Amino acid sequence: MTLVDRYVAEVARRLPRSRRADISRELTSTLLDAMESRFGPAATDDDAAVVLQEFGRPDAVAASYWPASQYLIGPEWYPAFSQVLKIHLLVLGAIVIAGLVLQVLAPSPDGLAKVFGNAIQFLVFAFGVIVLIFHLLERGEVRVRPRAVDWDPHDLPSPATGEIVGRVESIAAIIATLAGFLVLVRFQEYIGIPVGNQLLLNNILVDNLPWIGAAAVLTVLQYIVLLWQGRWRWYMRCYKVGVDLFNLIITWRISNAVIASHESLVTAGVTPQLADLSSQLARALPFVVLAVMLYEGGKVLFRVTGWTYSAPALPRHPSSR
């Protein structure tokens, strides 16, 4: 993939999907013509970097392709607006999930109605405030200052390698990890199998909570680095493998503890069917985690090596000819 292709891909991913193909062809043709007129048909990547440097940053070029008609929030402010809105939706989703978990652990009358009612109110209010702020910035002709830091076209990522990590993906992973761990810590005394005045299996969660916290910290650190870098690098791939293996070990510890508690569950009054179901789920859990790890690793391997699978063409029915 040439430097021009990477530049065009960076511009295209900031444009509406319906216009990406046409604008990509137009922009590629413009850049190639500019390179040939200045450096001839044998232009190198260094020559292309000179043209791209003069052409401008990919985000600024993408903004120039947005329509110049009347709009509520213009192309200069829209990327920031979109990012803030996505973060708001992620936070709202985390709040709703936490509320649902709380209702499952400690149900109360009209609890679900309150959770969703408050979520809708928060959604409408926050969305209105965000739109109003960015609309005032647009109408007040407040302009985004261009970045003073020089950029190098050679540093453009190659989308074909699948190394780019979206900011929303990283932020969502951080929020989900922190919210999940905080729920476990805050409501740890309610998690288990309630039988009379006892809460069975709760000791397993308490014993492994420090391990779960360590895994959460490692996961958050991983996505903070990805949020800062914006792409996967080989050492972050190795780090993720280590974190995944650590999570697998924790899952195996918890699963073995649950399986070992089978007899004590029955003795404490749990029905044999429920005790058997708990043991079966515990046996299956490490394999589910391992399958997810292998699936994600396989996707990375296919992207890095460029392997593809093409299904064989099906024979056409004679009547369709």
Side-chain angles (χ1 to χ4, degrees), residues 27-109:
L27 183 57
T28 301
S29 177
T30 301
L31 292 172
L32 292 179
D33 289 344
M35 288 171 53
E36 185 174 0
S37 64
R38 290 186 58 179
F39 302 104
T44 64
D45 270 357
D46 290 334
D47 298 331
V50 174
V51 174
L52 298 178
Q53 191 86 38
E54 296 173 353
F55 212 76
R57 296 184 61 88
D59 50 358
V61 174
S64 67
Y65 280 100
W66 284 82
S69 56
Q70 294 293 327
Y71 34 66
L72 187 64
I73 299 171
E76 255 189 309
W77 281 110
Y78 183 78
F81 165 77
S82 176
Q83 202 72 11
V84 171
L85 188 61
K86 289 174 182 176
I87 294 174
H88 152 250
L89 293 176
L90 288 172
V91 172
L92 176 64
I95 293 174
V96 171
I97 291 174
L100 293 176
V101 171
L102 179 61
Q103 286 304 308
V104 172
L105 299 177
S108 62

Side-chain angles (χ1 to χ4, degrees), residues 1-317:
M1 177 170 287
T2 65
L3 204 57
V4 171
D5 294 331
R6 289 154 56 188
Y7 182 86
V8 172
E10 278 293 294
V11 174
R13 75 184 185 89
R14 294 173 167 85
L15 296 172
R17 293 184 181 274
S18 59
R19 303 185 60 199
R20 287 179 183 176
D22 293 337
I23 292 177
S24 295
R25 286 193 293 268
E26 174 189 339
L27 183 57
T28 301
S29 177
T30 301
L31 292 172
L32 292 179
D33 289 344
M35 288 171 53
E36 185 174 0
S37 64
R38 290 186 58 179
F39 302 104
T44 64
D45 270 357
D46 290 334
D47 298 331
V50 174
V51 174
L52 298 178
Q53 191 86 38
E54 296 173 353
F55 212 76
R57 296 184 61 88
D59 50 358
V61 174
S64 67
Y65 280 100
W66 284 82
S69 56
Q70 294 293 327
Y71 34 66
L72 187 64
I73 299 171
E76 255 189 309
W77 281 110
Y78 183 78
F81 165 77
S82 176
Q83 202 72 11
V84 171
L85 188 61
K86 289 174 182 176
I87 294 174
H88 152 250
L89 293 176
L90 288 172
V91 172
L92 176 64
I95 293 174
V96 171
I97 291 174
L100 293 176
V101 171
L102 179 61
Q103 286 304 308
V104 172
L105 299 177
S108 62
D110 301 327
L112 290 178
K114 292 179 181 179
V115 169
F116 286 105
N118 293 334
I120 293 174
Q121 292 179 14
F122 177 75
L123 173 65
V124 174
F125 176 77
F127 179 77
V129 171
I130 294 171
V131 171
L132 177 61
I133 290 174
F134 279 93
H135 180 67
L136 292 176
L137 291 172
E138 179 65 38
R139 290 305 171 210
E141 297 186 354
V142 178
R143 293 295 167 240
V144 182
R145 294 182 179 180
R147 300 178 185 177
V149 180
D150 293 335
W151 69 284
D152 187 354
H154 291 288
D155 293 333
L156 289 169
S158 177
T161 62
E163 295 295 307
I164 299 175
V165 181
R167 292 182 178 179
V168 175
E169 175 187 343
S170 299
I171 294 172
I174 293 172
I175 292 176
T177 302
L178 291 176
F181 181 67
L182 290 176
V183 167
L184 289 179
V185 173
R186 175 64 179 83
F187 302 104
Q188 57 179 293
E189 64 271 19
Y190 301 108
I191 300 177
I193 300 178
V195 177
N197 295 327
Q198 304 180 73
L199 191 62
L200 306 179
L201 300 184
N202 181 261
N203 62 309
I204 297 176
L205 171 66
V206 174
D207 292 342
N208 287 278
L209 203 54
W211 293 91
I212 298 174
V217 170
L218 294 174
T219 302
V220 169
L221 289 176
Q222 168 188 313
Y223 283 100
I224 287 176
V225 175
L226 291 175
L227 186 63
W228 172 56
Q229 292 182 342
R231 71 181 75 177
W232 286 99
R233 300 184 187 276
W234 67 268
Y235 51 85
M236 289 307 300
R237 293 287 188 194
C238 296
Y239 180 87
K240 184 181 186 302
V241 171
V243 173
D244 288 342
L245 290 176
F246 186 61
N247 287 326
L248 184 61
I249 293 173
I250 296 173
T251 305
W252 180 79
R253 281 173 51 91
I254 295 175
S255 299
N256 281 348
V258 173
I259 295 171
S261 303
H262 182 275
E263 295 299 329
S264 61
L265 291 178
V266 176
T267 303
V270 175
T271 62
Q273 294 81 2
L274 180 57
D276 291 341
L277 178 61
S278 300
S279 297
Q280 292 170 5
L281 292 176
R283 288 190 182 94
L285 187 58
F287 294 99
V288 173
V289 174
L290 180 61
V292 172
M293 290 173 53
L294 293 176
Y295 172 73
E296 292 182 349
K299 288 197 303 182
V300 173
L301 182 63
F302 271 81
R303 284 198 297 259
V304 171
T305 59
W307 293 346
T308 56
Y309 169 76
S310 299
L314 297 176
R316 297 178 62 187
H317 193 276

